[in-house]
Every structure is written in structure tokens, then in C-alpha cells.
Amino acid sequence: MKRHLIAAAALCLLAASQLAQAADAVKIGFLVKQAEEPWFQDEWRYAEQAAKDKGFALVKIGVPNGEKMIAAIDNLAAQKAQGFVICAPDVKLGTAVERAARRNNMKVISVDDRLVDGSGKPIASIPHMGISGYAIGKQVGEGIVAEIKARKWNMAEVGAIRVAYDQLPTAKERTMGAIDALKAAGFVAANVIDAPQAKTDTESAFNAANIALTKNARFKYWVAVGLNDEAVLGAVRAAEGRGIKADSMIGVGIGGAKAAENELNKPAATGFFGSVMISAKEHGYQTSVNLVNWITGKAVPPAEVQTKGMLMTRANQAEVRKQMGQ
């Protein structure tokens, strides 16, 4: 009897050891569409912190197009990763992502941009963490309106550059939310100038905004909105190139990442007035933890999480970063 008890205890210890090894062996990927952008760099940084805190392995991969995205997912499977977080290069690749994950027996969570199927509907089987693009955009517009009033500008003399990237639904939602907030405050609809950008970086935004400024030199003052901080920074740089100074320009970005922090910490104020800060920490850290918990059977992630933002300016940035856990 004693021998059987010893054997049973040994088996229990072995099983416990194997379970511990299995938990330690959790590996996930974190795939982003534009690895060079500060926002995604911050997400990766916080995902790395989660990996360190929770003891799992993390593989970071940039996926600028659909072909590289599928190759990255297959590569993760070859590395025996059990799942991945993804911000895809195109939300319409949602079905391809779902199939690739299923084919490789991997779990997947989308971040930032919600994946959709062929009919444009969100894919319910893929949990998502993002923001309400329209609500964040409204915060941008409301922040601009408050500053226009503080500066006592005549709205009829103000032009608005909408740095547009309408092929991405969340980008259109953000900029339209901002413009709707301006219009609700009495902004003249005809004074809104669309400036379509080819990519979502500062250079593309600069080129788009420069064209808009050249064609609409009649305005005394300018405001600028866009998908992210980089889009608005591009518009601000274009305005500076045309002699439009900080006291005649109000740009409010979205993200609050390093690019915004650097701009707001310059010795002299620029036309980049502020940014609606969203939590790269929550998007990077928490999505990773949610995925690992799902893989290990601890908890199923919420179907959808919408994070909130706060307007950060030169005056309040320290307090906002503290409140946002940055």
C-alpha cells in the first residue's frame, strides 16, 4: 500500500512539473502593421513588460501587407506559439487572419483596428481591444473648439485641415468625429479642407497638408485633425513651412505617444497644441495578458473592450500621463 502511495505521489509531482513547464512555455506573437510608428513601438514595449512580469515568451513582428502577415502567422506556428495579438495592415483581411489562426490552432486577439469579414461586419470570434474612433474624434474637436474660443478667433476666418485616410474605417471615424464636433460648435462646413494622405506617417501627412495649405491661402487661422499624432504633426510642419506660426495654428492629434511627448516638451510652443492620449500600455500590456490567460485556460477575453482618452497639452501632460498610467 505504501509503495502505491509513493508511486501516486511521484506521478502527481511529475504531472505538476509538466503543467508548470507547459505554463512556462507559453509563447505569443504581437503583430503590427507599421512597426516604425511610435504608437506601435509603445505597444510592443508594454507587451515586453507583460512578458517579463507574467513569464511568457513574446515574438514581435511587423506585418506591412497581407502576404507578410500570413507568413508571420505561419512562422509563429513553426515556433510553437499558441496565439497572437494583431493590428492587421488591412481590416478586410479579417477572414484570412481567422483562417490562418484556426489552421495553426492558435488563439488571436485584435488590437486598435477591428477585423471585419467580407461583408464588412466585425468578426465576433476574434476578441478586440480598441477605442471608439468617433468618440475620440469628438474629444479632438471639442478640445480645438475650446482653444479657438480661448484665443477669441472668428470661426469664419479659420480653415480646418482634415488629414484623411478614409480607407481605414477607424481613421475616418476619428476625423469625422472631430469635424462633427467643430460643426456642432458653429464651424463653417465649407472651411473644412480634406487632405488625403497616402500612408499614415508624418511625411505623407506633410505632403497632403502642404497641398491643402497652398490651395487655401485665404484663411487667417488653421486647425488640423487626423488619424494619429503623426498626421497632425505633418500638418503642423507643413504650416510652419508656409510661415504659419503657433499662435495661428491649433493641431490636436490622437495617441499621446512619444512623438506627441517630444513635441509638447519643446522649449517653445508649436502649432501642435495637444493630443487625445490613449493608453498604449493597456493596448500592449493587457491584450498580451488577456491572450495568455485565454491560452492557459484562466479566462476568456472580453468580446470587445473600448478604451478611453484624455486631452493632453503642454499645461497638463504630467497629470494626464499619471492618470493614464504612463
Side-chain angles (χ1 to χ4, degrees):
M1 185 70 176
K2 186 175 181 181
R3 189 181 301 127
H4 289 309
L5 288 172
I6 292 171
L11 285 171
C12 287
L13 286 170
L14 178 61
S17 175
Q18 288 174 336
L19 284 171
Q21 288 175 3
D24 291 341
V26 171
K27 179 184 287 187
I28 67 168
F30 203 116
L31 283 54
V32 300
K33 61 185 179 181
Q34 284 187 288
E36 70 279 4
E37 283 196 3
W39 169 258
F40 295 119
Q41 291 287 325
D42 284 346
E43 283 188 335
W44 273 354
R45 178 162 54 89
Y46 287 117
E48 286 176 327
Q49 184 62 53
K52 181 180 178 181
D53 291 347
K54 305 298 181 181
F56 60 88
L58 178 74
V59 181
K60 303 176 298 180
I61 308 176
V63 288
N65 57 55
E67 184 180 350
K68 290 186 177 180
M69 180 190 76
I70 296 300
I73 295 170
D74 290 339
N75 178 266
L76 284 170
Q79 295 185 55
K80 302 195 182 305
Q82 297 100 322
F84 58 94
V85 178
I86 186 168
C87 180
D90 187 337
V91 293
K92 296 188 289 294
L93 292 168
T95 301
V97 171
E98 185 182 37
R99 286 174 180 166
R102 190 184 301 122
R103 182 177 69 249
N104 290 301
N105 194 28
M106 301 167 77
K107 298 189 183 301
V108 54
I109 293 177
S110 62
V111 68
D112 301 332
D113 301 337
R114 187 82 189 260
L115 294 168
V116 299
D117 60 21
S119 64
K121 294 180 180 178
I123 298 177
S125 63
I126 300 179
H128 177 68
M129 180 180 285
I131 64 170
S132 169
Y134 188 80
I136 291 289
K138 282 190 69 177
Q139 284 186 269
V140 168
E142 288 163 359
I144 289 173
V145 167
E147 186 60 15
I148 287 174
K149 291 179 178 178
R151 297 186 187 190
K152 295 182 169 56
W153 288 359
N154 179 353
M155 280 201 185
E157 298 177 319
V158 183
I161 298 175
R162 184 178 80 94
V163 181
Y165 194 73
D166 289 349
Q167 57 268 51
L168 181 63
T170 188
K172 186 172 183 179
E173 289 168 6
R174 292 179 186 190
T175 55
M176 293 313 299
I179 296 305
D180 284 352
L182 288 173
K183 290 178 180 177
F187 198 85
V188 181
N191 289 8
V192 177
I193 313 299
D194 282 352
Q197 58 182 146
K199 293 170 62 179
T200 60
D201 59 9
T202 301
E203 181 181 359
S204 295
F206 174 92
N207 293 334
N210 200 41
I211 294 170
L213 290 164
T214 300
K215 291 182 176 179
N216 297 276
R218 65 187 183 278
F219 293 111
K220 184 176 181 180
Y221 307 110
W222 284 97
V223 300
V225 302
L227 159 67
N228 52 21
D229 292 326
E230 289 74 22
V232 174
L233 281 168
V236 169
R237 295 287 93 86
E240 289 170 347
R242 300 189 64 80
I244 300 169
K245 298 181 179 179
D247 58 359
S248 298
M249 179 76 174
I250 304 171
V252 175
I254 293 175
K258 196 68 178 178
E261 181 182 359
N262 291 342
E263 192 73 10
L264 294 174
N265 282 324
K266 286 184 174 180
T270 72
F272 189 87
F273 175 73
S275 173
V276 174
M277 186 175 188
I278 49 183
S279 179
K281 181 175 183 180
E282 190 167 3
H283 285 225
Y285 192 103
Q286 196 58 50
T287 53
S288 300
V289 172
N290 288 351
L291 179 59
V292 170
N293 286 343
W294 191 15
I295 289 168
T296 56
K298 291 181 180 177
V300 176
E304 183 177 10
V305 176
Q306 295 282 355
T307 60
K308 297 178 180 179
M310 293 181 66
L311 177 61
M312 177 178 70
T313 67
R314 289 173 69 91
N316 71 355
Q317 60 177 313
E319 179 60 26
V320 170
R321 288 193 177 280
K322 182 179 178 181
Q323 290 190 44
M324 296 292 284
Q326 301 292 305

